Amino acid sequence: MDWLLVLCSLIHLLLCPFTKVEESFNVQAIHDILYHQTDIVEYDHLEFPGVVPRTFLGPMIVSALAAPFVALASALEYPKIVSLYLIRCSLGVIILWPLIKLRKRIAETLGQGTSNWFVLITASQFHFLFYLSRPLPNTMALTLVLWAYYFWLGLQHDKFIAFSAAAIIIFRGELAILLGFILIGELLSRRVTIPKIVIFAVPCGLIFVSLTVLVDSFFWRRLHWPEGEVLWYNVVLNKSSEWGTSPFLWYFYSAIPRALGTSLAFVPLGLIFDRRVVPLVVPPLLFVLAYSFLPHKELRFIVYVFPLLNVAAAAACSRLWQNRMKNKWRGLLALGTIGHLLANLVLTCFLLAVSRVNYPGGEALSLLHKIENPENNVTVHIDVLALQTGISRFGQIHKNWMYDKTENLKPGSPELRMFSHLIVDAKSKHSYSLRPYLETHEILGFVEGFSHIRSSYNNFPPIRIKSKPCLFLLKNKNPPAEADFSFRSSQHISETSVIEEEPSSTAVELDFEFSNHFEGEIPENSTEKLAGVTGPAIE
């Protein structure tokens, strides 16, 4: 059944190929390693370093796997955007490998039935497979966490400690909480001793700290441990809250229910039916509880816990399915396990449809490439919204074009009039932001982005995904023959979500918003009433 995980993850990739701002460092780093190699001065991170630095070790591994395929695509003269698909496929392979190994380990320890249901449940859910091929720091760490789970279930504690140390030191320091709780459980069960932990943990820690400092100091041009600086920023200085805060229990009432879907109902049943899954569920729940003390919360921060929670749900479904023939009541419960997969699929299709219209920046640049002759000497300035929603260096497919992403240029300013083309944030052709260009530019086209969800009792199905214009392509009627771009700055694109104004609502048609920054999420202040049910119904 492993092919089902591969197929579903590939569908997510093909339907939503572009990346967003939170993925920008890794995707740009992979691009630069593949195309600029040792020419560090051309690397994107030196001009746009981001809020906190990240390690290059993940991008190096993905680049090494993708390099032969990217070279072949270049030799066949495929556009550079094809390389984006290839590097995301490579990352998907890196994650799917330990996930499939983990599935086999589950079969060995909990039975083939639980293993099969684990695959079905994971494939039916949206968030885990959607994020699986996305070049996020969390995804880079996820592969090491999955390997750690695999060795943990196999009682290979030396390898568990090694992979845990790599995940914590190189990619995500907060994983010390999750993997630490697992290790404490092993200590309490006397499957491992403190001396054994020290013997393996200390050398691994020294090796991985030395590795990341050596590699990242080379790329960042200074003595540097990226994850150490990230921990200082988020934990000691507590500046992550500047990017938004959520209530303490948000992970429990919002993130986990959305990620698990209807499978969440089977998690407590799994704890009752099979006591062997209790040690698998307690550490992730304690991790989420402890991590809830940080005010800034995102679903991707706890993506590591979903496989373990799914094991509990799978154990419950397996037991119900095995007992389906004993009586009619148990037969109905078994049908419920099938029904919950269908419900998950409906939710997944809905969230995937939302995400499809959530990358207007990538669509806008693709549209410009279709409209303009590639032989023309185009200079295009890209607005912040476009950069946050799908544009990366992989989308810059014409070598003779200049793609500029300088921030804080005022609409209609002399600097912007130097460009032959603009990608501008605007909600309609009558928007205030387009007024300075009425005389000097023509509108080539526009791209719509996700706006809101509308519920109407007069339609079937009663829910509609609404989009609206958000980016316009403008062409300068009289571009200067020789433009001066000396004003270009090195300001970074801030990792903040772009949230539209709240739509109005009526008794019959009711709108509520999703964040344009995180797939399938709604801002906390956008709680509305859907079909008479109060609360964030689809959050």
Side-chain angles (χ1 to χ4, degrees):
M1 299 180 67
D2 298 336
W3 62 269
L4 191 59
L5 295 172
V6 176
L7 177 62
C8 290
S9 61
L10 190 60
I11 290 173
H12 285 289
L13 189 159
L14 294 176
L15 292 180
C16 299
F18 299 114
T19 59
K20 279 199 173 180
V21 63
E22 61 267 26
E23 304 163 66
S24 61
F25 170 77
N26 283 322
V27 75
Q28 307 287 44
I30 293 170
H31 170 278
D32 294 341
I33 292 171
L34 288 171
Y35 288 95
H36 298 305
Q37 298 173 8
T38 58
D39 190 7
I40 306 298
V41 294
E42 294 294 328
Y43 277 44
D44 183 85
H45 73 287
L46 296 179
E47 185 177 2
F48 299 93
V51 179
V52 289
R54 292 295 178 185
T55 180
F56 273 84
L57 285 171
M60 287 176 65
I61 294 172
V62 176
S63 301
L65 183 59
F69 305 100
V70 172
L72 179 61
S74 299
L76 296 175
E77 298 184 349
Y78 286 119
K80 190 193 288 186
I81 193 66
V82 172
S83 298
L84 180 59
Y85 289 84
L86 293 174
I87 66 108
R88 287 195 57 192
C89 284
S90 300
L91 179 58
V93 168
I94 291 173
I95 306 295
L96 283 169
W97 183 21
L99 182 64
I100 291 171
K101 295 281 287 185
L102 178 63
R103 194 274 304 169
K104 294 179 179 178
R105 184 74 86 192
I106 292 169
E108 296 171 2
T109 56
L110 299 175
Q112 189 62 47
T114 300
S115 175
N116 291 340
W117 277 100
F118 173 78
V119 172
L120 292 174
I121 290 172
T122 303
S124 71
Q125 296 167 346
F126 172 74
H127 286 89
F128 188 81
L129 292 184
F130 181 83
Y131 283 125
L132 184 142
S133 65
R134 297 199 157 273
L136 293 157
N138 313 84
T139 309
M140 298 291 181
L142 180 60
T143 183
L144 295 173
V145 174
L146 292 174
W147 278 115
Y149 291 163
Y150 171 76
F151 293 120
W152 169 40
L153 294 182
L155 301 180
Q156 296 172 277
H157 295 107
D158 52 347
K159 295 179 181 178
F160 167 78
I161 293 171
F163 278 87
S164 298
I168 294 166
I169 292 171
I170 298 174
F171 293 108
R172 302 295 301 190
E174 71 272 10
L175 286 171
I177 303 173
L178 172 61
L179 299 170
F181 278 131
I182 292 176
L183 202 55
I184 290 173
E186 296 300 286
L187 278 170
L188 294 177
S189 63
R190 298 184 178 181
R191 285 191 287 265
V192 68
T193 62
I194 291 178
K196 185 175 181 180
I197 293 175
V198 173
I199 289 172
F200 287 108
V202 172
C204 287
L206 294 174
I207 290 171
F208 293 126
V209 167
S210 301
L211 179 62
T212 183
V213 169
L214 179 65
V215 171
D216 291 307
S217 296
F218 170 76
F219 283 102
W220 285 97
R221 301 294 186 89
R222 60 186 174 91
L223 187 63
H224 189 41
W225 175 28
E227 192 53 29
E229 191 166 326
V230 171
L231 285 173
W232 180 265
Y233 182 91
N234 289 332
V235 179
V236 179
L237 300 181
N238 196 24
K239 287 191 176 182
S240 64
S241 59
E242 296 177 2
W243 310 110
T245 61
S246 299
F248 181 81
L249 294 176
W250 181 84
Y251 284 129
F252 290 97
Y253 72 75
S254 178
I256 292 177
R258 278 184 290 116
L260 267 60
T262 56
S263 302
L264 179 62
F266 292 91
V267 173
L269 292 178
L271 299 177
I272 296 171
F273 292 159
D274 193 339
R275 306 297 293 178
R276 293 175 298 176
V277 304
V278 174
L280 305 185
V281 173
V282 172
L285 292 180
L286 291 177
F287 164 71
V288 175
L289 181 63
Y291 205 48
S292 296
F293 283 94
L294 283 181
H296 179 58
K297 299 176 176 65
E298 296 179 27
L299 185 146
R300 61 189 174 96
F301 291 168
I302 61 167
V303 68
Y304 327 100
V305 309
F306 303 145
L308 296 181
L309 297 179
N310 281 341
V311 172
C317 290
S318 177
R319 177 68 63 87
L320 292 172
W321 186 253
Q322 289 172 359
N323 296 334
R324 67 188 182 279
M325 303 302 293
K326 291 186 176 181
N327 55 52
K328 293 182 179 180
W329 171 244
R330 293 186 178 183
L332 289 175
L333 290 177
L335 288 177
T337 62
I338 301 297
H340 108 273
L341 293 179
L342 297 177
N344 280 353
L345 287 174
V346 171
L347 180 61
T348 293
C349 292
F350 169 71
L351 294 176
L352 192 55
V354 171
S355 299
R356 281 274 292 166
V357 291
N358 216 10
Y359 296 85
E363 300 292 346
L365 190 58
S366 297
L367 179 59
L368 180 62
H369 289 144
K370 294 176 182 177
I371 293 175
E372 284 296 333
N373 189 328
E375 302 301 324
N376 293 343
N377 291 321
V378 171
T379 57
V380 54
H381 179 266
I382 304 168
D383 207 345
V384 171
L385 175 61
L387 290 169
Q388 290 180 324
T389 57
I391 291 180
S392 69
R393 286 193 171 189
F394 284 104
Q396 301 175 6
I397 63 177
H398 299 319
K399 294 182 179 180
N400 59 312
W401 287 24
M402 191 195 80
Y403 304 85
D404 185 86
K405 51 185 180 181
T406 305
E407 287 190 74
N408 298 327
L409 298 182
K410 295 182 179 180
S413 63
E415 294 89 350
L416 286 176
R417 294 182 188 274
M418 296 289 182
F419 296 94
S420 64
H421 294 75
L422 304 174
I423 300 179
V424 180
D425 174 9
K427 297 180 180 179
S428 76
K429 63 180 181 180
H430 305 295
S431 293
Y432 177 80
S433 58
L434 295 184
R435 291 180 185 177
Y437 308 108
L438 292 177
E439 302 294 331
T440 58
H441 291 70
E442 61 175 311
I443 297 177
L444 296 181
F446 65 91
V447 171
E448 293 189 342
F450 174 76
S451 174
H452 58 276
I453 306 299
R454 171 164 294 174
S455 173
S456 175
Y457 303 124
N458 297 327
N459 297 325
F460 183 83
I463 294 178
R464 292 286 188 273
I465 298 170
K466 294 294 182 179
S467 60
K468 63 182 178 182
C470 61
L471 292 172
F472 279 73
L473 306 181
L474 307 182
K475 183 175 183 178
N476 198 334
K477 295 178 181 178
N478 297 294
E482 294 184 3
D484 179 13
F485 297 107
S486 59
F487 60 86
R488 296 175 66 189
S489 69
S490 60
Q491 300 177 33
H492 66 269
I493 303 300
S494 59
E495 296 188 11
T496 55
S497 58
V498 182
I499 301 178
E500 306 289 345
E501 299 176 359
E502 287 198 25
S504 60
S505 61
T506 65
V508 177
E509 294 188 349
L510 188 61
D511 299 345
F512 57 92
E513 295 219 1
F514 273 53
S515 164
N516 281 339
H517 190 51
F518 305 114
E519 281 65 30
E521 298 190 24
I522 306 175
E524 286 300 319
N525 60 357
S526 299
T527 303
E528 297 285 353
K529 187 180 294 183
L530 177 62
V533 180
T534 302
I538 305 183
E539 189 179 50

